[in-house]
Amino acid sequence: MTGSAMFDAMIYASFACFPLLMLATVVIFFAKKRGSAFLQANPSARRVYDRIVAAGPKEGWSGYVILALVLLWLAIMAGWILVLAG
């Protein structure tokens, strides 16, 4: 694959990510409502959920990991554009 073809593939992959992430957001939004209703109706499932939450990360670091990955992706794409343009 040449540099130009690879660059085009990365651009198309970036364009494909946006609608997929929008679809994932809608699916998670509706799943959260149904999941909350399920947990309200089933006390045993609520206890299992509470144990999972208690065992998880305490500081909410996962948002920082996602932010770092997105910024890394954007920096790589910007660097690639600068190298190919110049």
Side-chain angles (χ1 to χ4, degrees), residues 1-13 80 84:
M1 200 177 237
T2 66
S4 178
M6 185 178 271
F7 181 68
D8 290 342
M10 293 303 286
I11 288 175
Y12 293 138
W80 200 345
L84 289 177

Side-chain angles (χ1 to χ4, degrees), residues 7-8 20-21 26-28 31 34 39 45-46 49 57 69-70 74 81 84-85:
F7 181 68
D8 290 342
L20 291 176
L21 291 175
V26 170
V27 168
I28 290 170
R34 290 182 181 220
L39 289 176
R46 181 68 185 187
Y49 174 76
L69 291 174
V70 168
L74 292 173
I81 290 169
L84 289 177

Side-chain angles (χ1 to χ4, degrees), residues 45-57:
R46 181 68 185 187
R47 284 191 297 274
V48 171
Y49 174 76
D50 289 339
R51 268 189 266 134
I52 292 170
V53 169

